[in-house]
Amino acid sequence: MLKSLPDSKKVDLWIRASGKALLWGMSLVGIFFLYLPIVILVIYSFNESKINAVWRGFTLQWYQSLFEGLTVGSDISNVLIWDALKNSLIVGFISTGVATILGTMIGLAMERFHFRGRTVIEGLLFLPIIIPDITMGIALLVFFSLVFQLLESLTGMRLVLGLPTVIIGHIAFNISYVAVVVRSRIADLDPTLEEAALDLGANEWKSFWRITLPLIYPGILSGALLAFTLSLDDFVITFFTAGVGATTLPVFVYGMIKVSVTPAINAISTIMLFASLIIVVLSFSLQRH
Amino acid sequence: MYAVELTNVSKAFLGQNQREFLAVNQVDLAVAEGEFFSLLGPSGCGKTTILRMIAGFELPTSGEVLIQGEAMRDRPPFHRPVNTVFQNYALFPHLTVAENVAFGLEMDNLPRPEIEQRVKDAIAQVKLTGLETRRPRKLSGGQQQRVALARALVKQPQVLLFDEPLGALDLKLRKAMQLELKHMQQQVGITFIYVTHDQEEALTMSDRIAVLEDGQVLQVGTPAEIYENPNCRFVADFIGESNFLVGRVIEQHPGGVVVLVDEELPISIPSELDLPVGKVVTLVIRPEKATLHPHQYVDEPSLGGTVSEVVYLGTDTRFVIRLTPKSSIIVRRQNLYRSNLDSFSVGERVQIRIAPDSIRILEEGELSTNQPFAKPELGKRQ
């Protein structure tokens, strides 16, 4: 028969058991707070009632009215949603494209070359990720107005905020994200592979296209998807740099809340949620590949 | 004209503390056409750096690398007539075996039919036919090694460079590959420059060996020259196993000297060197060149000693014999007969015979070192 543990040691077992219970409890509470609102949002996008709080039966009318906006002569607010979506996609694609190219180049340079001021650039690279969006938004706004003033006084040309400034703003924060993701991929890449390519007669250009790029391509793609998601979701920086007529989807939704809160917002949010989800899942699976 | 020549080549790197250190220090080397030349030394001796300077991945800080008489300073790796087999093979993971082998030929813009024919031949040459469409990840270590070899061979370079290519393989496979590489080198007639820290590997394959330490070439010679006539203690110690006895010359006569070891043991050795009386020298004695005899043995000049350790190692037995209170010597005897396995036992008085011309004299050493060699490593196999 096993000798039973003395009471002083039983405390240890109790601590272990309660720790386990606590961990489970905390996890459940965390998941509950994080995801319950989102689940409610999705459910109420199918609510027949105009008021969010009351459930009055299942309907697809909010999704329907959204898509009616595509037809001519429909409700103006539903048309504007599609304009906003178009703007969001334009900003998303262009800023992602530019940020991916620049971010990849930075990631490559940081990982492959040792140069003066590398650590400084490394710090600067993380800045757009860590500083608050609001700071970044204001900084960009100040920057643009200064540049516009300067341009006007020099050339007489008058520029205003619009889609181009939004795109520049998005590129500014997306570069960092792409560079960080791509860099981690390059860090896994054996540098002797590139040496082997040079050794076999490939110049640096060919070695990059035939060896380096195919091997870091999953990293670049997941960086790009991340950038696209961030661009699509961004509100604060867009809000400061958009000006009139360059409304993206998140900014438009924010405007809608101020006017009338209908489940149409839930519908849009649900669509955006799933679009983002798909992209993020895609990005993660590529990263693991 | 030499296949590869290094003239006074040095390479400095910036160390951790921003201080420069010389990885390669004023090295002169000349590798003949068609030669199997090994760079041998412990890790950190600069052998890989030399190889990388020949391949073009590093540029010498000073001095010149010449390949077939031509200075290589302004030539990037992809314009040099050399190819490398890397230590970790560096196979392209996203390409198949055939694509890996074809890569170098595609870079030369050869016509497709020729590429296909040469790839096929190279893969057959390294006995990998049938695995053309596999990815490197799906191959064993030995197979990956062969792909790396085929990828370099297919370019038909003037010089093939090897950076410890067999290091990751197990012993049996390594031995087989050593012979295969040697045969292949004789067949294709390409100059091989082979970096290794494994002295046995270097002895097995090389026409000539350069032994390096701390970025400097200590000795260059054929395996036999290096083994039989090491020019310094490091070489004698690194290649094979050696006993070192430090003593001082007490008598010089035409054709030879008498060296007194530990102030009590005189050893007479023939020598052409001019060694004045009083000079401190180190005697190098290979364990297999000494033979043990019973104490009564008096026929020829021999050294008396006491057996202090006996270790049976299968093919041979190693005896540690105490010559003086300060010095011991390892004697290795092949186990030719089962009957004499336990002919000498610990504590027994024995006579050691060493052919006088088998003792190598090095003009170096310090008398104060009480232990001419560290504790003998009996278990160490060659």
Side-chain angles (χ1 to χ4, degrees):
Chain A
M1 209 187 104
L2 281 168
K3 219 179 111 190
S4 66
L5 277 168
D7 280 356
S8 60
K9 301 268 163 138
K10 277 183 181 154
V11 176
D12 296 340
L13 293 179
W14 184 83
I15 288 175
R16 179 186 265 195
S18 60
K20 233 176 196 174
L22 204 67
L23 191 66
W24 268 101
M26 295 280 272
S27 307
L28 283 176
V29 171
I31 290 170
F32 185 78
F33 273 109
L34 267 176
Y35 293 107
L36 191 69
I38 296 175
V39 172
I40 290 173
L41 170 102
V42 174
I43 292 172
Y44 275 81
S45 70
F46 300 103
N47 189 4
E48 210 174 311
S49 164
K50 265 210 164 195
I51 307 154
N52 250 332
V54 193
W55 178 259
R56 221 188 258 156
F58 182 85
T59 178
L60 285 174
Q61 72 172 88
W62 306 111
Y63 290 93
Q64 213 176 344
S65 71
L66 272 183
F67 286 98
E68 271 169 11
L70 286 173
T71 58
V72 185
S74 66
D75 185 355
I76 185 70
S77 73
N78 287 337
V79 177
L80 288 176
I81 283 183
W82 292 101
D83 266 354
L85 180 66
K86 196 182 78 189
N87 284 340
S88 272
L89 291 178
I90 290 171
V91 171
F93 278 119
I94 298 179
S95 71
T96 300
V98 177
T100 302
I101 293 169
L102 292 177
T104 302
M105 284 159 77
I106 292 172
L108 267 170
M110 299 291 288
E111 199 55 48
R112 275 288 176 271
F113 304 108
H114 293 263
F115 49 88
R116 268 182 102 83
R118 205 179 76 130
T119 36
V120 177
I121 293 181
E122 187 152 10
L124 287 176
L125 200 59
F126 275 97
L127 212 56
I129 297 178
I130 46 179
I131 62 167
D133 276 4
I134 187 113
T135 315
M136 182 105 176
I138 293 171
L140 281 165
L141 182 61
V142 173
F143 168 74
F144 284 132
S145 35
L146 273 177
V147 170
F148 290 168
Q149 260 177 27
L150 197 69
L151 267 179
E152 199 179 346
S153 65
L154 283 177
T155 64
M157 203 160 51
R158 218 185 132 70
L159 294 174
V160 288
L161 295 173
L163 269 192
T165 49
V166 176
I167 291 171
I168 292 170
H170 283 210
I171 292 171
F173 69 79
N174 268 339
I175 286 178
S176 300
Y177 287 95
V178 175
V180 168
V181 172
V182 170
R183 204 182 151 187
S184 71
R185 183 81 192 186
I186 299 168
D188 292 340
L189 185 69
D190 180 4
T192 51
L193 291 179
E194 285 160 355
E195 283 182 352
L198 297 186
D199 187 71
L200 291 166
N203 57 29
E204 282 86 356
W205 181 250
K206 280 182 182 162
S207 156
F208 176 76
W209 286 104
R210 291 285 306 269
I211 305 300
T212 314
L213 192 65
L215 289 172
I216 62 169
Y217 157 79
I220 295 176
L221 205 60
S222 68
L225 289 175
L226 180 67
F228 189 70
T229 322
L230 289 171
S231 170
L232 218 54
D233 289 350
D234 179 73
F235 172 78
V236 180
I237 292 166
T238 314
F239 189 74
F240 278 97
T241 52
V244 188
T247 309
T248 63
L249 203 51
V251 177
F252 181 81
V253 171
Y254 172 73
M256 267 176 85
I257 292 175
K258 284 200 290 193
V259 184
S260 63
V261 189
T262 69
I265 292 172
N266 293 21
I268 301 168
S269 306
T270 305
I271 293 171
M272 281 174 74
L273 172 74
F274 281 102
S276 302
L277 215 59
I278 289 167
I279 295 173
V280 168
V281 168
L282 217 61
S283 157
F284 271 112
S285 69
L286 276 171
Q287 187 80 296
R288 287 217 323 228
H289 179 62
Chain B
M1 189 177 58
Y2 292 109
V4 174
E5 209 179 339
L6 274 72
T7 54
N8 202 21
V9 167
S10 295
K11 177 71 188 179
F13 284 116
L14 214 51
Q16 292 275 319
N17 42 12
Q18 296 296 305
R19 219 176 290 152
E20 284 199 341
F21 73 96
L22 278 176
V24 175
N25 191 357
Q26 300 187 323
V27 164
D28 285 295
L29 281 177
V31 181
E33 203 84 40
E35 196 174 22
F36 197 124
F37 192 90
S38 289
L39 298 169
L40 175 65
S43 58
C45 72
K47 56 193 190 301
T48 296
T49 307
I50 290 178
L51 201 76
R52 290 173 60 80
M53 285 193 285
I54 299 171
F57 301 130
E58 310 280 358
L59 282 179
T61 312
S62 66
E64 197 64 71
V65 174
L66 296 105
I67 299 176
Q68 281 172 331
E70 212 178 318
M72 287 290 131
R73 184 158 281 278
D74 300 323
R75 289 238 226 152
F78 42 91
H79 287 152
R80 296 190 183 201
V82 299
N83 287 109
T84 309
V85 176
F86 291 87
Q87 187 167 18
N88 55 359
Y89 318 136
L91 299 177
F92 306 131
H94 59 301
L95 302 180
T96 64
V97 168
E99 285 165 348
N100 264 283
V101 178
F103 185 85
L105 300 177
E106 285 167 10
M107 291 303 114
D108 293 345
N109 291 317
L110 295 179
R112 199 70 230 177
E114 190 188 339
I115 293 180
E116 272 161 27
Q117 189 55 46
R118 276 169 70 174
V119 168
K120 204 177 148 218
D121 292 346
I123 289 175
Q125 196 176 8
V126 297
K127 304 190 189 89
L128 284 178
T129 308
L131 299 177
E132 288 89 344
T133 55
R134 292 265 191 99
R135 294 284 157 100
R137 206 166 309 180
K138 304 269 175 195
L139 299 176
S140 71
Q143 288 168 333
Q144 290 184 23
Q145 216 280 320
R146 284 162 189 276
V147 178
L149 185 62
R151 191 176 66 173
L153 266 177
V154 79
K155 295 265 292 182
Q156 299 170 352
Q158 312 281 359
V159 181
L160 214 49
L161 308 175
F162 294 84
D163 187 7
E164 308 214 19
L166 306 181
L169 305 182
D170 62 68
L171 188 67
K172 273 254 165 72
L173 195 54
R174 197 157 69 224
K175 299 241 179 205
M177 279 305 289
Q178 284 171 9
L179 291 178
E180 215 177 307
L181 270 179
K182 179 72 186 159
H183 288 152
M184 197 172 284
Q185 192 260 343
Q186 283 160 349
Q187 254 174 34
V188 295
I190 297 174
T191 309
F192 277 26
I193 299 182
Y194 194 97
V195 160
T196 181
H197 65 266
D198 182 341
Q199 46 102 9
E200 197 196 359
E201 191 165 284
L203 291 176
T204 308
M205 298 195 287
S206 317
D207 295 321
R208 282 196 306 149
I209 300 171
V211 184
L212 292 110
E213 194 209 8
D214 285 339
Q216 284 179 308
V217 175
L218 298 180
Q219 188 173 7
V220 181
T222 65
E225 277 166 18
I226 297 234
Y227 187 82
E228 302 296 341
N229 292 314
N231 66 0
C232 64
R233 186 167 173 151
F234 180 87
V235 173
D237 205 21
F238 194 75
I239 317 285
E241 203 181 358
S242 291
N243 294 297
F244 299 105
L245 296 174
V246 181
R248 105 191 127 75
V249 178
I250 52 166
E251 197 184 314
Q252 187 184 24
H253 49 81
V257 289
V258 177
V259 175
L260 189 67
V261 175
D262 292 342
E263 299 300 326
E264 60 179 87
L265 180 70
I267 301 175
S268 177
I269 311 138
S271 172
E272 301 299 316
L273 301 168
D274 175 35
L275 300 167
V277 171
K279 187 171 175 64
V280 177
V281 294
T282 301
L283 307 180
V284 182
I285 302 162
R286 297 286 188 186
E288 76 280 4
K289 291 194 164 54
T291 51
L292 290 184
H293 302 273
H295 182 47
Q296 301 79 6
Y297 185 91
V298 279
D299 245 16
E300 282 177 66
S302 59
L303 309 174
T306 312
V307 179
S308 66
E309 251 180 284
V310 181
V311 175
Y312 171 73
L313 290 168
T315 56
D316 48 59
T317 302
R318 280 168 208 220
F319 301 88
V320 180
I321 314 294
R322 187 149 292 278
L323 295 175
T324 74
K326 286 177 185 170
S327 300
S328 306
I329 180 174
I330 296 176
V331 177
R332 174 174 156 185
R333 191 192 61 190
Q334 257 201 306
N335 294 325
L336 288 174
Y337 310 104
R338 283 190 182 177
S339 54
N340 70 358
L341 274 185
D342 40 29
S343 49
F344 299 104
S345 48
V346 174
E348 201 174 329
R349 293 283 301 165
V350 290
Q351 292 298 115
I352 305 164
R353 253 195 75 201
I354 307 158
D357 65 345
S358 294
I359 301 176
R360 170 104 181 142
I361 304 177
L362 301 174
E363 294 180 66
E364 58 178 297
E366 275 174 49
L367 275 183
S368 56
T369 51
N370 283 353
Q371 283 176 300
F373 58 100
K375 175 128 181 68
E377 290 172 63
L378 280 172
K380 185 176 138 194
R381 309 294 314 263
Q382 271 197 17

